[in-house]
Amino acid sequence: LLEGVGAEGFTVALLERDHEGLNMGPRHMPLNAAFMNGTVEGENVWIPMASILGGQERCGYGWHMFVECLAEGRGVSLPAGSAGAARQAATAVGAYSRVRKQFRVPIAEFGGIQEALSMAASDGIMIIAGTDLMNAIIDNHEAPMVISSVMKQNCTERGRRIIERAMDIAGGSAICRGDKNYLGNAYMSLPIAITVEGANIMTRSFQIIGQGLTRCHPHMLELINSLQMPKDQEDEAVKLFTQQFYKVTGHGVTNFLHSVSRGVGATISTSTRSKAAYKDGDKLLKYHEEQLLRLCANFALTSDLCFTLGGRLKFEELLMGRLADALGAIFLGYATLHHYTHRRGVEGLEAVTEHAMLRLEKEAQDSLLHASNNFPGVLGGVASGVMKLGCFPIGSMTRPYREPSDELTKEVARLITTPSELRDLFAEGIYEAPEGEMHQPSDLCRALPICMEADGITSMLRREKRQPTIDEANKIAEADALRDALIQVDVFENLTDAENQAGYKRPALVGTEERLASSSRKTFSDPALGSS
């Protein structure tokens, strides 16, 4: 049939929906989301050569097409959804935290709220930075399989955390369904992104390191190829294997030396660094680039030590998961610095970048530490010792990374909950409804400056111990009215079609009535059967 053009095997064709023999079957309903997913069946389907993508010459190239499409698509589409969720949550929930009051104080002033807001903001900037860098890579006509896996797993997981924190802050307004609830659908649908195009649990614990360790190592692929050369090329294979083996060994030694020297240097620079050093953009970039170089050397050394496991590595998913966490943190760290370089000058960007970088460096450090404490295999003890000596040569002293300070956490939360250029950065591309149209996120964002002004007037009146002027009283009243309207949640007389039917009674009430009818006690005050 092919007559020497193309090859047998997995092939991709594009067919019309009404193609003869093709049946577009029933659809699934993934968590009530508008996510097209369903069954496709066919019987005696004749596919003409003209329908094959790329023509007959591309017969048999389906797997290659699939993998290339996956490498590009999953690193763009799913992280883009998380980026949208991050932008919406940061702007809307940031405004809500300033609008909503508890004990006559905006909840944005509460430490627990500030912690959740700062974590959501720094996770958000990581996702935004990662998507910007990934899009640039794709625009450069690259199809990075491992990086797309890192992006998909990290961004969707961080997106889920952002929505969870936003739900915690929004409280009742996030759990009561209706038009005013702008978080419920995102909360419900995010597990779809976690699951599709390579479930995160598999991507993290198997795919990222399983593929990356051989495909991304500078010498390992050629060494493996030498083992697969035919018998008649044995001499050449032995020569190539020997060359690559020495290169792999040299690579490991170099990584060990870099890991030790950079580890000591990172400890010194971190211990002598001021908490306010991040406010100088040049110093911020220089310091964190040095820390990422150190972590890269740590990760590369650990990757080389993984070869002591041989083929057993693919079964050590706990180890691979920890290394995937470290690699993800390092990649997002570089993406965050790349983003800062391109958007430098935005007020408050230094603070959220610092917050994000400190968290990422701590994540990478902890993942490598857990890997060294649990290195498996017959040579696991030796590999663990070498790893600890290389990554943490002076023990805990060379594990200098810590979580962001409370002062920095409060600063990031302040920037997200007050009018600032950082808030404007997060709001880029977010839908803003016309005034008068009910759209809770837009209404919250418009109310923010009004409530801020009213709070300022209230504070001034308290300090000056006087009554407000008519103009001041009007502004306070306007803010109070907005607050009262915006914290309300949707209510419904009836929630289902059945409840709208005449004579409808809820099943729980019917059951209660039946039990009461058969009981000798009609109320709690009635005496129990047999009592005197």
Side-chain angles (χ1 to χ4, degrees):
L1 180 64
L2 294 175
E3 298 181 348
V5 180
E8 295 183 10
F10 185 8
T11 301
V12 179
L14 186 63
L15 304 179
E16 295 289 344
R17 185 183 182 89
D18 58 355
H19 190 88
E20 185 177 355
L22 188 66
N23 175 35
M24 302 299 288
R27 285 184 54 197
H28 303 296
M29 188 174 68
L31 296 177
N32 292 331
F35 190 90
M36 298 301 175
N37 199 8
T39 60
V40 180
E41 299 175 350
E43 184 176 356
N44 297 324
V45 180
W46 173 257
I47 301 176
M49 288 292 184
S51 297
I52 294 174
L53 290 184
Q56 183 175 338
E57 294 81 2
R58 305 307 287 176
C59 282
Y61 280 81
W63 181 253
H64 178 83
M65 293 179 181
F66 168 75
V67 170
E68 189 174 74
C69 183
L70 185 64
E72 295 183 1
R74 73 175 167 198
V76 174
S77 58
L78 296 172
S82 295
R87 290 181 182 276
Q88 180 85 301
T91 52
V93 177
Y96 177 85
S97 301
R98 189 61 62 179
V99 169
R100 178 78 164 88
K101 280 189 173 184
Q102 192 76 31
F103 313 118
R104 298 183 180 180
V105 177
I107 64 172
E109 300 299 328
F110 296 174
I113 301 295
Q114 291 171 342
E115 182 180 28
L117 280 169
S118 65
M119 298 280 275
S122 57
D123 272 331
I125 209 70
M126 295 174 204
I127 295 172
I128 292 168
T131 54
D132 285 351
L133 182 55
M134 186 68 192
N135 291 342
I137 292 172
I138 298 300
D139 284 344
N140 201 37
H141 307 293
E142 301 287 345
M145 176 62 74
V146 176
I147 293 301
S148 72
S149 298
V150 169
M151 278 292 295
K152 188 269 176 185
Q153 186 259 324
N154 271 271
C155 291
T156 54
E157 182 58 43
R158 292 181 191 277
R160 173 161 63 179
R161 293 180 203 165
I162 289 170
I163 294 300
E164 286 173 351
R165 291 183 179 116
M167 294 281 291
D168 290 344
I169 296 168
S173 65
I175 63 172
C176 294
R177 297 303 302 271
D179 292 338
K180 293 182 179 180
N181 189 334
Y182 54 93
L183 293 171
N185 287 339
Y187 181 77
M188 183 179 291
S189 62
L190 265 168
I192 300 172
I194 297 290
T195 302
V196 299
E197 296 193 15
N200 280 7
I201 197 166
M202 181 200 74
T203 302
R204 173 184 175 270
S205 62
F206 182 77
Q207 189 173 359
I208 292 174
I209 300 301
Q211 288 183 331
L213 198 60
T214 53
R215 300 297 301 182
C216 301
H217 194 282
H219 311 298
M220 184 52 59
L221 190 59
E222 290 189 42
L223 188 145
I224 294 173
N225 289 338
S226 70
L227 297 174
Q228 298 175 337
M229 293 177 71
K231 187 73 173 177
D232 57 355
Q233 298 179 15
E234 184 175 352
D235 292 341
E236 183 180 347
V238 170
K239 181 179 179 181
L240 180 60
F241 177 87
T242 304
Q243 289 175 347
Q244 296 307 314
F245 177 79
Y246 283 125
K247 287 181 179 180
V248 170
T249 305
H251 186 260
V253 173
T254 301
N255 288 331
F256 179 85
L257 296 175
H258 283 163
S259 193
V260 172
S261 60
R262 292 173 184 173
V264 174
T267 300
I268 295 172
S269 63
T270 300
S271 61
T272 58
R273 184 174 185 248
S274 164
K275 288 185 178 180
Y278 71 87
K279 295 179 181 179
D280 184 325
D282 292 331
K283 290 182 179 179
L284 181 146
L285 287 170
K286 183 176 184 297
Y287 170 77
H288 289 297
E289 284 175 355
E290 290 174 354
Q291 308 320 304
L292 291 178
L293 281 173
R294 178 262 176 103
L295 290 168
C296 283
N298 294 164
F299 178 82
L301 170 63
T302 307
S303 298
D304 288 330
L305 291 172
C306 285
F307 293 125
T308 62
L309 294 168
R312 183 70 194 170
L313 176 63
K314 62 178 176 287
F315 300 106
E316 299 296 346
E317 295 183 22
L318 294 176
L319 174 65
M320 290 196 289
R322 292 179 180 119
L323 295 186
D325 291 341
L327 178 60
I330 292 169
F331 174 77
L332 287 179
Y334 276 112
T336 302
L337 294 184
H338 173 268
H339 178 267
Y340 174 75
T341 302
H342 283 75
R343 299 301 302 270
R344 191 170 177 177
V346 173
E347 174 216 354
L349 188 56
E350 286 81 9
V352 74
T353 299
E354 172 79 356
H355 196 280
M357 292 304 301
L358 292 177
R359 289 182 58 208
L360 289 168
E361 287 156 7
K362 180 69 162 56
E363 288 177 19
Q365 173 186 270
D366 289 351
S367 297
L368 292 169
L369 176 62
H370 294 321
S372 68
N373 288 335
N374 297 277
F375 211 99
V378 177
L379 297 175
V382 176
S384 175
V386 173
M387 184 180 172
K388 287 181 177 179
L389 184 60
C391 296
F392 317 114
I394 320 178
S396 60
M397 288 183 62
T398 38
R399 295 195 295 273
Y401 305 130
R402 300 290 182 267
E403 295 289 346
S405 67
D406 290 351
E407 182 181 351
L408 181 60
T409 292
K410 292 177 181 179
E411 175 63 11
V412 173
R414 182 190 68 79
L415 290 163
I416 291 297
T417 59
T418 58
S420 67
E421 292 182 14
L422 183 63
R423 265 188 64 83
D424 294 341
L425 184 150
F426 274 99
E428 290 174 359
I430 296 298
Y431 172 73
E432 183 177 355
E435 286 201 46
E437 178 181 316
M438 210 297 289
H439 184 249
Q440 192 77 347
S442 300
D443 294 339
L444 284 167
C445 291
R446 291 193 187 102
L448 176 60
I450 298 171
C451 293
M452 285 286 296
E453 184 180 9
D455 288 344
I457 293 171
T458 303
S459 297
M460 181 182 65
L461 294 175
R462 191 180 300 116
R463 288 194 307 270
E464 297 178 358
K465 298 180 181 180
R466 66 175 177 84
Q467 294 299 312
T469 64
I470 295 176
D471 184 54
E472 290 170 340
N474 289 337
K475 289 181 178 179
I476 293 172
E478 180 187 8
D480 288 344
L482 280 172
R483 283 188 160 107
D484 185 62
L486 290 170
I487 65 173
Q488 302 303 317
V489 298
D490 293 288
V491 292
F492 304 91
E493 289 290 340
N494 298 309
L495 290 173
T496 65
D497 290 337
E499 288 180 280
N500 289 320
Q501 302 299 319
Y504 172 82
K505 286 187 179 180
R506 295 177 185 172
L509 295 178
V510 172
T512 300
E513 290 174 353
E514 290 174 352
R515 284 192 295 273
L516 284 173
S518 61
S519 174
S520 62
R521 299 179 66 183
K522 306 303 182 184
T523 68
F524 287 110
S525 61
D526 290 344
L529 185 64
S531 64
S532 57

